[in-house]
Amino acid sequence: MRILIVEDEPKTGNYLVKGLREAGFVADLAANGEDGLHLALEHQYDLVVLDVMLPLLDGWTVLRRLRERKNVPVLFLTARDEVNDRVKGLELGADDYLVKPFAFAELLARIRTLLRRGAVRESEMIQIADLEINILKRRVTRGGTRIDLTPKEFSLLHLLASRPAEVLSRSLIASQVWDMNFDSDTNVVDVAVRRLRAKVDEPFSLRLIHTVRGMGYVLEDRGG
Ligand code: CA
């Protein structure tokens, strides 16, 4: 897990970096808003700890510009416990905040919570071409058009989409979606795939679910 600290006070910054490294994280430090924004955009961080009062670019500007391009969790540090600051930070897309001075243990706890939440959020959506699957809401759209699926159809699509470009055998699909462990009933799978295609593929120009003769099915964007 890699964390970026954007903090201009050297004592605080170094203290945070040291503490996070001791806690097992990879931690980088940026001492002004411009460097912070640059690092956050150029590298893959799992979380950004962002001070608000920063030279060159303030934390709000960093946050706003970061949010135009990235969804990385952001925890901001504010020196004043003012409702306006908290509201502003959260409205700009921050995920949490801490008021200075804070205990390092508290920062660590907040970071761990955000990282857990971040991981869930990542896997909440699957997107392949114009197909979007919201796992938690069990909502499927293509090009913004809502597609209504039965629970089994949803499970089948979810399975295929969570292993894109991987050929899944009928027996594997049967065991995962229907809990069946024998090959004789796998024509259930063919029927279900046909129904799923009628909803997810046929009304649209780009086919995503492909049959691999003698092997099974694969969901992938083959273009065209
Ligand atoms: Ca500062």
Side-chain angles (χ1 to χ4, degrees):
M1 287 290 188
R2 195 167 173 187
I3 297 176
L4 174 65
I5 315 279
V6 190
E7 167 63 78
D8 58 314
E9 290 151 302
K11 208 176 135 195
T12 311
N14 290 324
Y15 170 72
L16 294 181
V17 166
K18 185 166 171 280
L20 289 173
R21 285 182 183 158
E22 280 169 9
F25 295 100
V26 177
D28 295 337
L29 179 63
N32 64 62
E34 221 167 72
D35 288 352
L37 180 63
H38 178 77
L39 283 174
L41 289 175
E42 295 305 311
H43 300 278
Q44 290 300 321
Y45 288 102
D46 297 291
L47 187 134
V48 177
V49 177
L50 180 65
D51 187 27
V52 171
M53 301 293 283
L54 289 169
L56 300 182
L57 285 181
D58 66 27
W60 301 139
T61 309
V62 173
L63 181 56
R64 186 160 43 230
R65 295 207 194 152
L66 184 61
R67 277 290 170 264
E68 288 167 6
R69 305 249 312 265
K70 282 202 170 177
N71 246 335
V72 56
V74 173
L75 185 155
F76 70 92
L77 306 176
T78 170
R80 302 172 301 169
D81 186 10
E82 284 186 10
V83 175
N84 280 351
D85 266 21
R86 299 201 295 266
V87 170
K88 185 170 184 181
L90 299 174
E91 273 179 358
L92 285 172
D95 300 86
D96 201 359
Y97 67 93
L98 268 181
V99 178
K100 289 178 170 181
F102 51 84
F104 182 75
E106 167 134 46
L107 176 70
L108 201 55
R110 301 287 184 98
I111 285 175
R112 290 197 165 124
T113 302
L114 282 177
L115 288 174
R116 271 199 304 275
R117 217 198 284 164
V120 169
R121 188 192 297 164
E122 283 295 302
S123 58
E124 215 170 76
M125 292 286 301
I126 299 178
Q127 182 166 14
I128 296 161
D130 61 349
L131 171 70
E132 283 188 6
I133 305 171
N134 185 315
I135 310 300
L136 291 183
K137 293 182 180 164
R138 301 178 76 84
R139 251 175 70 163
V140 178
T141 60
R142 275 201 74 172
T145 304
R146 177 80 181 268
I147 300 169
D148 286 315
L149 299 178
T150 66
K152 283 294 176 202
E153 288 164 350
F154 183 87
S155 301
L156 174 59
L157 180 65
H158 183 197
L159 174 65
L160 288 165
S162 59
R163 294 165 73 169
E166 189 181 330
V167 180
L168 303 181
S169 70
R170 288 173 175 78
S171 53
L172 182 136
I173 293 171
S175 70
Q176 299 272 312
V177 178
W178 285 270
D179 233 349
M180 301 189 303
N181 281 310
F182 42 93
D183 287 327
S184 55
D185 263 9
T186 50
N187 71 328
V188 171
V189 174
D190 295 325
V191 172
V193 169
R194 209 177 304 144
R195 285 203 189 128
L196 184 63
R197 273 181 167 149
K199 292 181 177 180
V200 170
D201 263 354
E202 278 161 26
F204 305 93
S205 56
L206 177 70
R207 299 293 167 99
L208 293 173
I209 302 167
H210 308 277
T211 307
V212 181
R213 206 169 285 277
M215 292 181 71
Y217 295 99
V218 58
L219 191 152
E220 71 180 322
D221 177 6
R222 292 181 175 173

